[in-house]
Amino acid sequence: MPIHYLYKILFFVLLSNSILAQKKISNSNFFEEIPYEFVNSKIIIPVEIEGKVFRFFFDTGGLLIISPNLKEKLGLRSIDSGTVSGVNNVKTKIDVVKINQTKIGSLEFNNYKAIVSNVMGKHPVTCFEVDGIIGRDFLKNMAIQLDQKNRKIILTDQPHRLKLDKLKAQKLQFAKNKIPILPIKVNGKNIKKVIFDSGAGDFISFKSNRIQKYKNKKIYQKGDIVERFGNFSLGISGSYPAPEKQYHVFIKEFKIAGIAFEKFYTDISKKSNSRIGTKILNYGVLTLDYINKKFYFQSYDEEIKIKPISSFGFSLRITDQNAIVSGLYANSPAAGLGIEVGQKILSINEVILSQLSNQQRCDFYKQNFPWSEDDQIEVKFLNKFGKIKIINLERFQL
């Protein structure tokens, strides 16, 4: 895995029943194909609001969220306010507005309430140039199919029109907040409460406290759990949490809808729910039938190989003026040579990170850093004593 920012554009929102109230789509007998962009593991679709087209994240784990800028453009007024908790468990006050008409393709959704959040104005979210999030409150009473090869989402209230192998149907369940839960097996055991979240760029990641419990019980062998420390997630509050431990876990076999993935390390663990994210779309077509409560996964290839996770030992978060170490692998050469979470990285391979333009910062975030494929890098940073230090690091793989 190249060095990159590990931000989440996920929102597990605790709101009043008025926002989560059941809605109905105006259309019936529909079969809508929606093209999408796939940028840094995020799905972006065109959404029409009040006759104007905007770019929105498509997030099965989120709700309808718009930026303050979009609120102003559309001349929307606040009808309510409240407090929400995002993925970081950081509480923040929000405004709520009502949108008379929202369209996805030809599908019409009327009188939906939206949360107004300034997270779209925070780097690196600004790099996507989106105005909001379309979430789970739009997906009731339909089936959705995500086809990564053809970059399209099918939305339909006629699941029989989708090309599905009925014999391979899996039971689809839902969390209390209506996020879909997928049935999976890990190392031969059924795992409960693993959500599918298209706002997450993960393949599979587990809840951190579960991994810590297994670690304390010494269920895994030495080397099966790789620890990292840092602050990675940008939540709906637009702020980062305090640094904390996260983990990779070695998996002998991961099975979903009868398709097996073998011998790989998971993505980084999460403080919130265990989840499957958009990386799984690289391997097959995923269908969530909300109507019949069925789930399908049809792999593109018979033989599936997971690309190893690779790193130089640390991850970066680039702000307006600085490049900050956001995460650090325990016992890595980077840690041994003095790199710590929160330190400033001055340059990598002579790329001066404090002098990047806004466009360069976004290009690096969306397309990876210039050194992302290098086997070795030179890092210049300020150590804990405030002195400049230069080290060389080699890429390692999990």
Side-chain angles (χ1 to χ4, degrees):
M1 180 177 63
I3 296 177
H4 64 290
Y5 307 105
L6 294 171
Y7 294 94
K8 303 304 299 176
I9 317 298
L10 309 174
F11 304 99
F12 297 93
V13 187
L14 306 176
L15 294 170
S16 65
N17 290 333
S18 63
I19 294 180
L20 292 174
Q22 290 284 339
K23 302 287 182 180
K24 288 186 178 181
I25 187 173
S26 300
N27 309 66
S28 60
N29 300 320
F30 59 87
F31 191 90
E32 194 77 13
E33 294 190 9
I34 309 297
Y36 69 81
E37 297 176 52
F38 196 65
V39 184
N40 202 343
S41 300
K42 304 296 185 291
I43 296 173
I44 301 172
I45 65 170
V47 174
E48 183 180 319
I49 298 180
E50 309 293 356
K52 298 177 182 178
V53 178
F54 303 95
R55 289 160 54 83
F56 271 59
F57 290 121
F58 181 83
D59 185 355
T60 57
L63 294 171
L64 179 59
I65 298 175
I66 66 170
S67 67
N69 184 47
L70 184 55
K71 176 189 173 185
E72 185 177 344
K73 279 183 182 178
L74 297 174
L76 302 173
R77 62 180 182 86
S78 299
I79 61 169
D80 201 353
S81 62
T83 300
V84 300
S85 294
V87 68
N88 302 323
N89 293 326
V90 177
K91 291 185 178 180
T92 186
K93 291 184 177 180
I94 51 91
D95 288 329
V96 178
V97 298
K98 187 173 77 170
I99 299 176
N100 293 328
Q101 185 185 76
T102 305
K103 293 183 70 175
I104 305 175
S106 65
L107 305 183
E108 295 184 8
F109 303 84
N110 298 317
N111 300 319
Y112 269 65
K113 294 179 182 179
I115 302 164
V116 181
S117 169
N118 67 355
V119 72
M120 265 68 74
K122 300 284 186 178
H123 183 83
V125 188
T126 52
C127 297
F128 294 98
E129 299 179 303
V130 296
D131 290 288
I133 296 171
I134 282 288
R136 61 184 185 269
D137 43 343
F138 280 75
L139 304 177
K140 303 179 182 72
N141 305 314
M142 68 174 70
I144 67 171
Q145 186 172 85
L146 296 160
D147 182 351
Q148 177 75 309
K149 273 191 176 179
N150 295 301
R151 293 287 197 276
K152 69 178 180 180
I153 300 171
I154 295 176
L155 305 176
T156 181
D157 60 352
Q158 303 175 75
H160 63 274
R161 293 180 60 184
L162 297 170
K163 297 178 180 179
L164 301 171
D165 186 344
K166 302 296 184 182
L167 296 177
K168 294 183 178 179
Q170 304 287 306
K171 185 178 180 180
L172 181 64
Q173 296 179 309
F174 298 92
K176 289 180 180 179
N177 52 12
K178 305 302 180 183
I179 298 176
I181 297 175
L182 305 186
I184 67 169
K185 282 188 176 182
V186 175
N187 299 338
K189 296 181 179 180
N190 292 319
I191 304 296
K192 297 179 180 180
K193 297 183 179 178
V194 179
I195 66 171
F196 172 71
D197 200 318
S198 65
D202 309 301
F203 177 56
I204 179 170
S205 60
F206 295 112
K207 197 170 183 178
S208 296
N209 62 5
R210 172 184 287 181
I211 296 174
Q212 184 62 55
K213 181 176 69 175
Y214 290 160
K215 187 179 180 182
N216 293 340
K217 291 183 177 180
K218 298 182 179 179
I219 291 176
Y220 288 98
Q221 297 178 2
K222 186 178 180 181
D224 284 354
I225 296 179
V226 178
E227 186 177 302
R228 194 172 73 163
F229 181 73
N231 48 7
F232 313 102
S233 300
L234 179 64
I236 192 171
S237 64
S239 62
Y240 293 91
E244 59 188 2
K245 289 182 180 180
Q246 291 189 324
Y247 308 94
H248 291 291
V249 177
F250 180 73
I251 292 181
K252 293 178 183 177
E253 184 186 65
F254 160 63
K255 217 169 202 181
I256 183 166
I259 308 298
F261 300 79
E262 297 180 340
K263 296 180 180 179
F264 64 96
Y265 279 88
T266 65
D267 290 89
I268 285 292
S269 64
K270 301 294 182 295
K271 192 172 183 178
S272 53
N273 295 325
S274 301
R275 77 191 71 249
I276 291 171
T278 56
K279 279 186 185 174
I280 200 167
L281 302 179
N282 295 329
Y283 303 100
V285 176
L286 184 148
T287 305
L288 302 173
D289 183 351
Y290 287 71
I291 299 171
N292 299 304
K293 296 183 179 179
K294 298 292 184 181
F295 159 72
Y296 303 83
F297 183 74
Q298 300 158 284
S299 61
Y300 292 126
D301 303 306
E302 290 185 12
E303 186 177 353
I304 300 175
K305 291 185 178 180
I306 304 294
K307 188 177 179 180
I309 294 170
S310 68
S311 175
F312 290 108
F314 69 97
S315 56
L316 288 177
R317 177 170 70 249
I318 295 184
T319 65
D320 291 342
Q321 297 178 335
N322 297 304
I324 306 297
V325 177
S326 60
L328 182 68
Y329 283 97
N331 305 316
S332 66
L337 291 170
I339 289 183
E340 297 180 0
V341 171
Q343 287 176 338
K344 294 180 182 179
I345 302 295
L346 303 177
S347 67
I348 295 180
N349 285 359
E350 299 184 349
V351 177
I352 302 174
L353 298 176
S354 63
Q355 297 180 2
L356 299 178
S357 66
N358 287 335
Q359 187 61 52
Q360 285 175 313
R361 284 197 292 270
C362 285
D363 288 344
F364 286 175
Y365 175 66
K366 293 189 294 184
Q367 302 168 17
N368 292 322
F369 291 103
W371 55 84
S372 61
E373 301 299 324
D374 292 350
D375 293 323
Q376 183 174 314
I377 58 173
E378 179 188 88
V379 183
K380 182 187 290 187
F381 66 100
L382 289 177
N383 68 12
K384 61 182 178 181
F385 303 108
K387 294 184 177 180
I388 295 175
K389 187 173 181 180
I390 300 175
I391 61 174
N392 290 293
L393 295 172
E394 291 186 357
R395 182 185 298 278
F396 63 87
Q397 289 187 342
L398 297 180

